[in-house]
Amino acid sequence: MFDLRPLYSTLHIEAITQFIGEHYAVEGPVSCQMLQRGLNDVYLVTGKNGERYVFRLSQHRARGPADVKTETAFLIHLSQSGVPVAAPVPTREGTFFVQAHAPEGWRSGVLFQALEGREPHATDLGDAWANGKTLAMLHNASEAFSSDGAVYRLDLEHLLWRPLARLQESGIIEDVSAYNDLKRIAEEAGRAIEAFGNLTWAYCHGDCHGFNSRINDVGEAVFFDFDDSGPGYLAYDLSVFLWANVSFGRKTIRRWDAFIEGYRAVRPIGSDDFEAAICFVIVRHFWLMGEYATRANEWGSNTVSWIAREANFLKTWQTEQLVNRLF
């Protein structure tokens, strides 16, 4: 008989409910509702008295297992430093993450306090400003955090070169000339970034695109989803917000301006870091394409077919930031 090993499994909601009851001191009866599946499985957890939590069950990704040990340590540090974030909830044993055995292997789980407040609005410049402010607070606090033992570093190897290799390995881009175009763009972006001599290194959120937050009743942006966090280029952490406002046909540059104003209200930005953020837009897009390329066998080739059409965006951005300069 063939061993039909699963690549990814969706667990019964009853099993998740029982698992949380066994590992966390949430007063029962506990109810669970799946919010989303994708790079991770995310569940809304409600206790007896209506208290709400979010449980994230990580998947294995091409980069390897989730670095929940460093992630939760960073979140605790941020919370203690007064940065508004979704704090992890300790287990009955006093740890901040658990391991769950799924059919495909061990997966890491973290329970977080559910955030109150509303989702940020795409047209609200105040929300963009608030996101910039919180990211600056995060970077300030990160200076007192030791990232020793972090599994991943958000450097060019992690963000650009490995994703580029995954694009080639996936076979999604069948046109050799199209892949060569992407390879050339990646190499030019890499050289441009390496030419900066004074880029700041910080512990990064890694996915601050403006919607991994909730706006609370005093207008703060409270951050969550630190799954892609790690020590890396501060310019990359800035660039993710810019990328979210210029990629996939979006042209909302005013949100970027407001974001930067909010950031600078708390923390200055070095000239090299600001200039490099514009180059890192290309790196961010390669990172995303690489992530999706590794999911072709799980999500299906149709779901990731958009990757083959992205050279035009990258070429256009490269021309604008090197020649015409929108900023």
Side-chain angles (χ1 to χ4, degrees), residues 119-320:
E119 294 185 8
H121 298 315
T123 58
D124 192 321
L125 299 185
D127 291 356
W129 193 95
N131 270 269
K133 177 184 177 182
T134 298
L135 186 64
M137 294 173 65
L138 181 156
H139 289 158
N140 279 344
S142 76
E143 294 177 357
F145 177 74
S146 173
S147 60
D148 292 346
V151 177
Y152 305 108
R153 291 168 57 86
L154 308 189
D155 54 16
L156 289 181
E157 183 65 26
H158 178 88
L159 297 169
L160 182 62
W161 306 129
R162 287 178 192 150
L164 179 65
R166 289 165 188 152
L167 289 177
Q168 185 177 37
E169 293 163 2
S170 70
I172 292 169
I173 303 173
E174 298 177 353
D175 187 330
V176 174
S177 64
Y179 173 77
N180 287 337
D181 279 346
L182 290 174
K183 184 172 182 290
R184 175 188 55 77
I185 293 168
E187 290 172 345
E188 291 178 359
R191 285 195 296 269
I193 289 166
E194 289 170 346
F196 288 100
N198 192 32
L199 294 182
T200 304
W201 196 258
Y203 202 95
C204 300
H205 179 280
D207 203 21
C208 182
H209 48 60
F211 298 97
N212 280 331
S213 64
R214 290 292 180 268
I215 307 299
N216 65 18
D217 56 3
V218 295
E220 293 178 313
V222 187
F223 281 6
F224 62 91
D225 197 1
F226 283 71
D227 188 39
D228 294 312
S229 64
Y233 289 107
L234 183 146
Y236 173 73
D237 227 15
L238 295 173
S239 77
V240 174
F241 196 90
L242 175 58
W243 165 86
N245 287 280
V246 298
S247 58
F248 301 106
R250 293 181 287 255
K251 297 292 181 182
T252 51
I253 303 301
R254 291 180 63 203
R255 294 188 72 242
W256 165 248
D257 294 337
F259 173 82
I260 290 299
E261 287 177 9
Y263 190 98
R264 284 176 168 155
V266 173
R267 177 187 174 99
I269 303 174
S271 58
D272 278 2
D273 290 324
F274 185 78
E275 293 293 320
I278 298 169
C279 297
F280 268 111
V281 167
I282 291 174
V283 174
R284 168 65 178 193
H285 211 66
F286 271 100
W287 174 86
L288 184 72
M289 292 191 296
E291 285 290 305
Y292 270 70
T294 64
R295 297 292 176 168
N297 289 333
E298 178 184 328
W299 295 344
S301 57
N302 286 344
T303 304
V304 300
S305 61
W306 60 269
I307 293 172
R309 302 187 293 272
E310 291 306 295
N312 285 337
F313 162 70
L314 293 168
K315 287 178 184 177
T316 301
W317 182 257
Q318 187 179 56
T319 298
E320 289 174 344

